[in-house]
Amino acid sequence: MACSSGPSEEELAAERNRLAQEQAAAEAEAREAEAERVQAEAAQRLKRQEEMVQQEMEALKNEQTVYFDFDSSGIKPEFQRLLDKHAAFLVKNPGTKVTIEGHTDSRGTPEYNIALGERRAQAIKRYLVNLGVDENKLSVISYGEERPVAEGSDESSWQKNRRAEFKRP
């Protein structure tokens, strides 16, 4: 019988087994690295989306007030664009809730002004719902004449107080 100087069958099997284990470990490591990369990218996307939502909310903060004519709850045409922006934001961000506060000037009885402030807030709510906003995300409250932004008994003050405002929790 001739002497074999090569590896035995057992040694070859052990080497194949070792190589298979190394390959499996390398593949598992690659899968884990890929999963971490995907997770990091998802976190970055989520962060960018949250930043965009914050930027949109900040932009809308400058446009929170709708003004009304004397003794009216009709939405003036010049405020429709503002309401359209709020509606688009609320539709795109269904987790956002808004309170619409209705206000009046000091003329009229307190009871009448509470009712008028309610009609103003409800008019805005109806407008937003008609544009697709979930009405369960909108609440209304009327303060009537109780929270004026302008003190005074002149038309300029009264105009500033005849309003509805968006408030986010």
Side-chain angles (χ1 to χ4, degrees), residues 67-94:
Y67 294 97
F68 292 86
D69 288 330
F70 174 71
D71 199 27
S72 172
S73 59
I75 297 171
K76 296 179 183 182
E78 63 259 32
F79 293 103
Q80 290 176 345
R81 185 182 73 50
L82 178 148
L83 293 175
D84 292 347
K85 284 184 190 178
H86 280 275
F89 177 82
L90 292 167
V91 167
K92 194 164 72 172
N93 299 284

Side-chain angles (χ1 to χ4, degrees), residues 15-43:
E15 181 63 16
R16 282 193 299 268
N17 190 24
R18 185 186 65 76
L19 290 174
Q21 286 177 345
E22 285 178 2
Q23 185 178 358
E27 289 173 358
E29 190 176 309
R31 281 193 304 273
E32 187 176 314
E34 177 66 11
E36 287 175 5
R37 184 189 66 75
V38 168
Q39 191 173 23
E41 285 178 0

